[in-house]
Amino acid sequence: MTKPTHHHKDYYAPEEKLYVATDNIIFGFDEGVLKLLLFKRRVEPFKGTMSLIGSFVHPDESAPNAAKRVLREITGLDDIFMEELKSYSAVERDPGARCISIAFYALIRIEESNKALVEKHGAIWHEVNSLPDLVLDHGQMVTDALGRLREKAQFYPIGVELLPKKFTIPQLQKLYEAIYQRDIDTRNFRKKLLSLNLLIPLDEKDMSGSKKGAYLYKFNYSKYKKLETKGFNFSLFKT
Amino acid sequence: MTKPTHHHKDYYAPEEKLYVATDNIIFGFDEGVLKLLLFKRRVEPFKGTMSLIGSFVHPDESAPNAAKRVLREITGLDDIFMEELKSYSAVERDPGARCISIAFYALIRIEESNKALVEKHGAIWHEVNSLPDLVLDHGQMVTDALGRLREKAQFYPIGVELLPKKFTIPQLQKLYEAIYQRDIDTRNFRKKLLSLNLLIPLDEKDMSGSKKGAYLYKFNYSKYKKLETKGFNFSLFKT
DNA sequence: TCAAAAGTGTTCTCCTTACACCCATGA
DNA sequence: TCATGGGTGTAAGGAGAACACTTTTGA
């Protein structure tokens, strides 16, 4: 089963190899609720159990590329916010074989995904607050990913990756309330947010949420890129 | 070369396996300088080049355990602060074979390490500020680890892992100045630090640094454990 | 006209920052 | 006695947190 690779020689021959997989924790935000893309495992053991979406890392691709490949196959999306979470390598984690998994979490805009493709793959959006039992250590991965999301969102405005490109401030607030499972004061939220000068106000309103309508904004990515390198404080509240 | 494992059956047979290694970024603090434990690579390719210390992950151990095993072999130390940094899996990262590496960084007290053992393994402490070129992507790993150390030390008092169990406040300040490469105001540093109530003052002085001597403190681990679960703000300065 | 969500300012408190001198001691 | 590092306090500014009412408009 060994495909040829670019490597001319295997210098490490007596060492043992392991299966290397990736698993993706794919977050989305819809109807004011934080969701996760799951599907039914298609291979034994535990075929049919709810599972994260993953793949083995092939010899000709890096782990992040394997994760991106899977994300593209399922959602049709490219160019997505994705970060490595951590690796999972307990000896007994997978009864199917000795296999380590490198978990990645991704933030996507559900409405930009190819819904037919998602459905074709049998993938389903589940509310984060009422997840089914997941196969192997995938439940732990989700817990870890949620922790990381909360940590990260406190210092980086990654929330915008989950919203449409044009979004309203009340939408963003609802997202943060979903991530942190707490209410946030509207006035303080707006003040903090607008003081960062990272939102570009548009001359459009979103009328879907209320009669009055809420102004739409775009995220100022280029300005953010510049700030990011120096680091800055996006924190919304004290611990 | 396949040793028997506990796995009765390999469910994933047609997939390909990869070599999985760990590399350790081992930080120490000595004479006011942040240091890193390096040694000369002992295997081809690039035998003799300066390298981090690593090992392949064996079938009967997890990646963190492989990293801890190596740390124990080299330094004699157990029960060390160690965290996963990230994985490195570029296809061409290692000309020796397709091999991914999971990097861990560790903080140790140099004076508690077994110096004879360290020497026997040919390991050498290098100042972080003047590192030689490292093999493969190990230079990138060090850069990433330094970034993570800075991030982490801002919110968690992990610095104490690098100091003797009894330490003085000026020592701790010098450590933070080494980590962040900047001067810190003595009065503000002490005020912030003591306000956390995580240091237990001892009735001893360390006379080695000055004629006057500086009071020694212990870190209050049990109190820290309690606080950690709720999260708290150790930040020493604003970004 | 009313229900429902959007939008807006001020005060208090606490944390961060900037800043300069005395203390204890061994040499 | 003096050189060296250890140790201390205060004032000003800024950010977070608490808090309630007006605006808009479709139904």
Side-chain angles (χ1 to χ4, degrees):
Chain A
M1 282 316 299
T2 304
K3 292 178 210 142
T5 74
H6 65 287
H7 289 105
H8 303 301
K9 183 176 167 183
D10 183 341
Y11 282 87
Y12 310 140
E15 298 287 344
E16 283 202 59
K17 298 182 179 184
L18 308 176
Y19 288 116
V20 179
T22 64
D23 285 297
N24 291 25
I25 299 100
I26 305 174
F27 289 106
F29 184 65
D30 190 29
E31 296 164 350
V33 179
L34 194 60
K35 295 184 178 176
L36 211 52
L37 199 54
L38 299 178
F39 77 158
K40 283 211 174 88
R41 184 167 158 109
R42 265 198 273 267
V43 296
E44 291 292 352
F46 307 121
K47 188 170 170 176
T49 313
M50 293 308 287
S51 164
L52 294 171
I53 291 162
S55 164
F56 287 96
V57 176
H58 300 156
D60 59 350
E61 67 183 355
S62 64
N65 283 348
K68 281 177 203 153
R69 171 173 54 75
V70 171
L71 190 62
R72 196 184 317 117
E73 284 168 8
I74 305 280
T75 65
L77 292 171
D78 238 317
D79 232 341
I80 287 302
F81 177 93
M82 176 181 269
E83 269 194 357
E84 181 170 338
L85 179 59
K86 69 186 281 287
S87 69
Y88 295 81
S89 62
V91 175
E92 308 278 355
R93 64 177 288 276
D94 186 340
R98 179 68 212 280
C99 173
I100 75 163
S101 175
I102 302 172
F104 291 81
Y105 70 104
L107 307 182
I108 77 166
R109 305 184 222 277
I110 294 185
E111 82 284 354
E112 286 185 4
S113 68
N114 182 331
K115 290 185 184 172
L117 200 56
V118 170
E119 198 169 329
K120 189 185 124 199
H121 283 89
I124 299 159
W125 288 101
H126 270 266
E127 296 198 10
V128 165
N129 289 326
S130 60
L131 291 177
D133 277 346
L134 300 181
V135 80
L136 305 185
D137 47 7
H138 289 195
Q140 186 61 48
M141 290 179 185
V142 170
T143 304
D144 294 346
L146 270 169
R148 177 73 70 87
L149 178 61
R150 292 194 180 113
E151 227 175 82
K152 187 97 185 172
Q154 216 173 111
F155 297 105
Y156 301 89
I158 56 174
V160 296
E161 304 293 336
L162 287 162
L163 294 178
K165 289 205 173 118
K166 296 176 179 180
F167 55 88
T168 68
I169 293 183
Q171 277 177 329
L172 191 56
Q173 181 174 342
K174 282 192 196 76
L175 169 59
Y176 274 88
E177 289 176 335
I179 292 177
Y180 292 105
Q181 303 269 73
R182 66 155 98 170
D183 290 340
I184 299 174
D185 181 89
T186 312
R187 286 161 291 186
N188 293 341
F189 185 79
R190 295 182 92 93
K191 200 190 321 165
K192 171 76 185 183
L193 205 58
L194 294 171
S195 75
L196 296 171
N197 278 315
L198 284 172
L199 299 189
I200 302 168
L202 304 174
D203 271 338
E204 284 175 80
K205 278 191 164 187
D206 169 43
M207 303 304 292
S208 66
S210 69
K211 293 158 186 166
K212 186 179 178 184
Y215 280 106
L216 285 161
Y217 292 82
K218 280 195 309 183
F219 187 67
N220 193 337
Y221 278 96
S222 57
K223 186 161 180 190
Y224 174 60
K225 285 270 159 56
K226 282 179 209 152
L227 287 173
E228 197 187 18
T229 53
K230 320 186 232 175
F232 72 110
N233 189 7
F234 180 66
S235 170
L236 286 174
F237 41 78
K238 301 212 168 181
T239 56
Chain B
M1 281 317 300
T2 303
K3 292 180 213 140
T5 75
H6 66 285
H7 289 105
H8 303 300
K9 183 174 169 184
D10 182 341
Y11 282 86
Y12 309 141
E15 298 287 343
E16 281 202 62
K17 298 181 179 185
L18 308 176
Y19 287 117
V20 179
T22 64
D23 285 296
N24 291 26
I25 299 101
I26 305 174
F27 289 106
F29 184 64
D30 191 29
E31 295 165 351
V33 179
L34 194 60
K35 295 182 176 177
L36 213 51
L37 198 56
L38 300 178
F39 77 158
K40 284 209 173 88
R41 184 168 157 108
R42 265 199 273 269
V43 297
E44 292 293 354
F46 307 122
K47 190 171 171 175
T49 312
M50 292 307 288
S51 164
L52 294 171
I53 291 162
S55 164
F56 287 96
V57 176
H58 300 156
D60 60 350
E61 66 184 356
S62 65
N65 282 347
K68 282 178 201 151
R69 170 173 54 76
V70 170
L71 191 60
R72 195 184 317 116
E73 284 167 8
I74 305 280
T75 65
L77 292 170
D78 238 317
D79 232 343
I80 288 301
F81 177 94
M82 177 180 266
E83 272 193 356
E84 181 170 337
L85 179 59
K86 67 186 282 286
S87 68
Y88 295 81
S89 62
V91 175
E92 308 278 356
R93 63 176 290 276
D94 186 341
R98 179 68 210 282
C99 174
I100 74 161
S101 176
I102 302 171
F104 290 82
Y105 71 103
L107 307 182
I108 76 166
R109 305 182 222 278
I110 294 184
E111 82 286 353
E112 286 185 4
S113 68
N114 182 332
K115 290 185 183 171
L117 199 57
V118 170
E119 199 170 326
K120 188 186 124 199
H121 283 90
I124 299 159
W125 288 101
H126 270 266
E127 296 196 11
V128 164
N129 288 327
S130 60
L131 290 177
D133 278 346
L134 299 181
V135 78
L136 307 183
D137 47 8
H138 290 195
Q140 186 61 49
M141 290 179 185
V142 171
T143 304
D144 294 346
L146 270 169
R148 178 73 70 86
L149 178 61
R150 292 194 180 113
E151 227 175 83
K152 187 96 183 173
Q154 216 174 110
F155 298 105
Y156 301 89
I158 57 175
V160 296
E161 305 292 337
L162 288 161
L163 294 177
K165 290 210 172 112
K166 296 176 179 181
F167 57 86
T168 68
I169 293 184
Q171 277 176 329
L172 191 55
Q173 182 175 341
K174 282 195 195 75
L175 169 59
Y176 274 86
E177 289 176 336
I179 291 177
Y180 292 104
Q181 304 269 71
R182 66 154 97 170
D183 290 340
I184 299 175
D185 181 89
T186 311
R187 287 162 291 189
N188 293 341
F189 185 79
R190 296 182 92 93
K191 201 189 322 165
K192 170 77 185 182
L193 206 57
L194 294 171
S195 75
L196 297 172
N197 278 315
L198 284 172
L199 299 189
I200 302 167
L202 304 175
D203 271 338
E204 283 175 81
K205 277 192 163 186
D206 169 42
M207 304 304 293
S208 67
S210 70
K211 293 158 188 167
K212 185 178 179 182
Y215 280 107
L216 287 161
Y217 293 81
K218 282 195 305 184
F219 187 68
N220 192 337
Y221 278 96
S222 55
K223 187 161 179 188
Y224 174 60
K225 286 271 159 55
K226 281 178 209 153
L227 288 174
E228 197 188 17
T229 53
K230 317 188 233 173
F232 72 110
N233 188 6
F234 181 67
S235 170
L236 286 174
F237 38 76
K238 303 213 167 178
T239 54

